[in-house]
Amino acid sequence: MSPPPSMQCIPSLVLALSSLLGALALLQLSLYLRVPSRYGKHEERLCGPRGRLPARCAWFLQELPSFLVPALLLALRSPPRLEPLGCRLLCCLFCWHYFYRTFIYPFFTRGRPFPLQLLFFGTLFCVYNGFLQGYYLIYCAEYPNDWCTDIRFTSGLLLFLLGMGINIHSDLLLRQLRKPGEVTYKIPQGGLFTYVSGANYFGEIVEWFGFAIATWSLPAFAFAFFTLCCIGPRAYHHHRYYLKTFTDYPKSRKALIPFVF
Ligand code: NDX
């Protein structure tokens, strides 16, 4: 029996999916600049417990496709191709982040139950983006053999690692604000929270811009832009929430970018 035909790179598909991701980013910005996306501290109590899923379950289900889809694409690639080393490393970075977000973050979160409606859209988004990033890196990307020593790769990788470190550390600081079973909000302290209200978001944004520079690719820049448009406004709304809720909230703290905004 002959092996199934392998998927090919279709550059116009990459261009179309990346453009749509950019358009979704702008839609996201227009929807959530004035009004925050309704989960966590910005959720309006409109849906009862039946309209929500426990945070652990929700984050696991929502983020799983971002890990699974690129892994599946990799397994389906015949003959296997992830050369040169730079290309293999880049795909591993993406999967590494989503391994953390799928298999580690949800099991420690002390967050509130997550709305089913947003879970549905979030999962769709993760399938879409997992496919786009994985498909591009596994089937389309072409890098010279010395890409690992290129300034774009090295500086992007450094930014990615720095952002990921900030993101994971900030996630941990937020988690430590609550005892198990607690759902109240407190003033985050320490780490980059000393300077900004959205330290976890700042880390995530730096991380994906680092990834975009390291891959030097349209899909990754589109995703970094989406991340900025998705969690940038959320950081601003968190900041306003804190200023409104806590009279002793540090006045020098900014919303997203230390000392700037
Ligand atoms: N998930 C990315 N759009 C998103 C879910 C929502 O990973 O329809 C994007 C992601 C999705 C979104 C996803 C895509 C777009 C959607 C959107 C919903 C609508 C939107 C689908 C997929 C949409 C269109 C129209 C374009 C289709 O109780 P609690 O939960 O608030 O507790 C929190 C706790 N905490 C505190 N505890 C005590 N005291 C305090 N002061 C506290 N402040 C917070 O900490 C949580 O348990 C935890 C973290 O809370 P928070 O609000 O700071 O972060 P959160 O937004 O929950 O994100 C968690 C992590 C974070 O590290 C962030 O960087 C990363 O996930 N993230 C989140 C969102 C998107 C994303 C990354 C990305 O784009 N790369």
Side-chain angles (χ1 to χ4, degrees):
M1 219 170 69
S2 57
S6 179
M7 242 195 284
Q8 301 291 319
C9 174
I10 308 169
S12 56
L13 179 66
V14 173
L15 180 64
L17 293 181
S18 306
S19 309
L20 185 57
L21 188 53
L24 278 179
L26 292 175
L27 172 67
Q28 179 87 8
L29 195 62
S30 65
L31 285 178
Y32 297 120
L33 201 57
R34 286 229 204 120
V35 185
S37 46
R38 299 289 184 200
Y39 68 92
K41 55 173 75 71
H42 306 294
E43 189 186 349
E44 278 172 348
R45 300 275 145 205
L46 292 179
C47 48
R50 285 168 68 199
R52 289 182 275 154
L53 207 64
R56 289 182 179 187
C57 207
W59 278 91
F60 173 75
L61 290 176
Q62 176 177 255
E63 305 292 321
L64 184 62
S66 295
F67 177 79
L68 222 51
V69 173
L72 257 171
L73 287 175
L74 192 56
L76 287 174
R77 175 77 165 122
S78 153
R81 171 200 167 264
L82 260 185
E83 299 296 339
L85 178 67
C87 197
R88 201 183 314 159
L89 257 172
L90 290 166
C91 197
C92 288
L93 290 185
F94 187 81
C95 289
W96 184 24
H97 172 92
Y98 281 105
F99 182 85
Y100 160 73
R101 186 66 73 219
T102 308
F103 298 103
I104 300 175
Y105 176 79
F107 295 97
F108 293 100
T109 181
R110 291 175 183 165
R112 296 173 176 204
F114 197 87
L116 278 175
Q117 200 188 0
L118 296 189
L119 171 63
F120 174 75
F121 287 118
T123 309
L124 276 188
F125 173 80
C126 289
V127 171
Y128 183 93
N129 189 50
F131 175 80
L132 175 58
Q133 307 302 329
Y135 177 73
Y136 176 80
L137 280 174
I138 296 162
Y139 291 92
C140 300
E142 302 275 355
Y143 293 106
N145 284 326
D146 59 356
W147 185 246
C148 283
T149 53
D150 190 287
I151 182 75
R152 287 165 289 182
F153 179 85
T154 47
S155 59
L157 180 64
L158 273 177
L159 273 181
F160 178 90
L161 295 175
L162 176 73
M164 192 173 188
I166 293 172
N167 179 251
I168 293 177
H169 182 234
S170 310
D171 280 347
L172 177 77
L173 292 174
L174 283 176
R175 189 185 314 136
Q176 286 172 344
L177 290 172
R178 287 177 177 166
K179 296 192 183 78
E182 240 182 14
V183 286
T184 51
Y185 292 103
K186 298 170 190 163
I187 300 179
Q189 305 284 2
L192 218 73
F193 283 111
T194 311
Y195 305 101
V196 288
S197 302
N200 50 342
Y201 296 147
F202 176 77
E204 181 109 14
I205 291 167
V206 169
E207 190 178 348
W208 291 119
F209 272 99
F211 182 73
I213 294 169
T215 56
W216 208 248
S217 72
L218 186 62
F221 274 105
F223 177 45
F225 181 57
F226 179 90
T227 300
L228 178 67
C229 295
C230 177
I231 57 185
R234 214 171 144 74
Y236 167 72
H237 290 296
H238 277 15
H239 188 64
R240 282 180 43 152
Y241 169 91
Y242 288 134
L243 288 173
K244 219 166 69 182
T245 310
F246 304 106
T247 47
D248 55 341
Y249 197 69
K251 295 284 173 283
S252 60
R253 203 177 283 189
K254 301 286 182 190
L256 181 65
I257 306 168
F259 311 110
V260 180
F261 171 73

